[in-house]
Amino acid sequence: MASSMKLNDTLAVSSPTAHAAPAAAKLAFDFLDLKAQFRSLRGEVMDAISRVMESQIFILGPEVKALEEEYAKEFDAKFVVSCASGSDALILALIAAGVGKDDEVITAPFSFVATAGSIARVGAKPVFVDIDPATFNIDAAKISAAITPKTKAVMPVHLFGQAADMDTVKAMVAGKNIAVIEDAAQAIGSKYCGEFVGNIGDFGCFSFFPSKNLGGAGDGGLITAQTPEAADKLRLLRVHGSRKKYHHEILGTNSRLDALQAAILRVKLRHLAEWTDGRRAKAQRYRELFAELNLSDFIAAPPEPAAAHHHVYNQFSIRCVQRGALREHLSHAGIPTEVYYPIPLHLQPAFSYLGYGPGDFPQAEAASRQVLALPVFPELTEQQQQSVVQAISEFYLR
Ligand SMILES: *Cc1c(COP(=O)(O)O)cnc(C)c1O
């Protein structure tokens, strides 16, 4: 399961010699080129925007309903409720699951801040469990040791587009009245054992932030639910707990997906499968290009999971040694990279009140030091991919 090599910071091979800018001409491109995508969709997107403007229906209404139905059809989801963002999706799912003050929710420390942030925002306590170095996802076998009588939910994250080990997650909470809330913000269309993420736990939470695989023209989110009661609660929560105007059954909030976003997302949803294939092909190409080089002392590409665990590559994150110097070298060569995430959540000042410290989650901390995300989007060209790999090999092999 783990890649054959073990990257270890202390193993940090040869000190970096001075790396001059590469001889090759600068081939600057974006880490994620959304303009290319818009150019290919301009007509369809502009028509969708016009349609909403002509209707002047901006809050909920037919576009939002249609997006929810089309999502459900595409991804075999039972109940679908859209909302204002991926962060809100997590918060609404937690509330719908009955999580609140003094409850505990188990999650991974290697994620975007909203994962643990949403737990804290509903008054509950995030309880971290370290990650599996092979997948960057929660080490599900360690969940049982973190369960207490206060544990109300587990929130695995399908990081970078790869599903967490959901069979083990579910086995850990079986018979314990603990909800499973999937943070699938980076993983739309991803599969675990042939099943779409979001349909495996009690709730699935998705984000339409522009850099996600299905990105809107702004913020947006979506929640999948397994029962009509849960879906009903979510629909109430997103409109101030109201079924009938000015009658408020429960305390809710304002968290709707804009009709304009829904209309744009409907256009993009029709292309998502093809884009996902593109991302997967780019990931495979990176692996081939790296395999041709002798870089295994320096970097490790993420291994392709078994076919039933369909990875959608929101990010292609390698592990590397001497990351800072490598990034600088790449930047000089016009190669954009990102680090998701440089500080694990348990070491963020915002979570200092939880009392964690360095060394508590060694795998998450190592990942934070080693990961480097390379550009991976459907429009990325062969030449661009070769330039990325060439610049990396220049850095290590000279
Ligand atoms: C993007 C993201 C979120 C939050 O989504 P927003 O739409 O930006 O609020 C939550 N969790 C993870 C893992 C994410 O990547």
Side-chain angles (χ1 to χ4, degrees), residues 220-389:
L222 180 147
I223 310 146
T224 52
Q226 294 293 328
T227 66
E229 294 77 23
D232 187 57
K233 184 112 187 258
L234 291 168
R235 285 201 188 92
L236 278 178
L237 287 169
R238 73 175 172 181
V239 287
H240 297 293
S242 157
R243 212 178 296 274
K244 195 173 142 201
K245 230 177 186 178
Y246 306 121
H247 290 69
H248 305 283
E249 294 174 31
I250 55 172
L251 214 51
T253 186
N254 167 1
S255 184
R256 278 96 52 164
L257 178 69
D258 286 338
L260 271 168
Q261 296 299 344
I264 293 167
L265 290 164
R266 289 181 67 200
V267 170
K268 296 177 80 167
L269 182 57
R270 296 200 284 271
H271 300 272
L272 182 60
E274 171 200 324
W275 293 336
T276 300
D277 287 347
R279 285 174 179 274
R280 288 170 52 78
K282 307 299 160 185
Q284 190 49 35
R285 185 65 185 137
Y286 271 132
R287 276 191 287 264
E288 286 164 12
L289 289 168
F290 284 128
E292 289 166 11
L293 299 161
N294 194 13
L295 287 171
S296 60
D297 283 344
F298 310 102
I299 71 152
E304 171 72 1
H309 305 323
H310 193 78
H311 194 325
V312 297
Y313 296 100
N314 180 241
Q315 301 300 340
F316 186 86
S317 285
I318 63 168
R319 284 179 191 258
C320 62
V321 295
Q322 303 161 17
R323 183 178 67 192
L326 171 63
R327 268 199 100 184
E328 202 165 308
H329 171 82
L330 294 175
S331 164
H332 280 132
I335 309 290
T337 57
E338 295 286 348
V339 172
Y340 305 112
Y341 296 91
I343 304 171
L345 298 178
H346 68 288
L347 301 181
Q348 291 285 355
F351 294 114
S352 61
Y353 71 95
L354 294 171
Y356 292 111
D360 283 346
F361 304 107
Q363 294 300 346
E365 291 166 31
S368 287
R369 286 191 299 268
Q370 295 174 340
V371 284
L372 185 68
L374 307 182
V376 63
F377 54 87
E379 297 82 4
L380 190 70
T381 66
E382 169 68 17
Q383 193 200 5
Q384 286 167 337
Q385 280 199 282
Q386 284 186 13
S387 72
V388 173
V389 173

Side-chain angles (χ1 to χ4, degrees), residues 84-88 90 111-115 157-159 183-186 206-209 211-212 219-221 314 341:
S85 71
S87 303
D88 271 8
L90 294 169
S111 184
F112 181 59
V113 66
T115 305
V157 183
H158 306 309
L159 202 70
D183 182 343
Q186 301 182 5
F206 295 86
S207 165
F208 301 128
F209 186 80
S211 67
K212 305 294 158 99
D219 282 308
N314 180 241
Y341 296 91

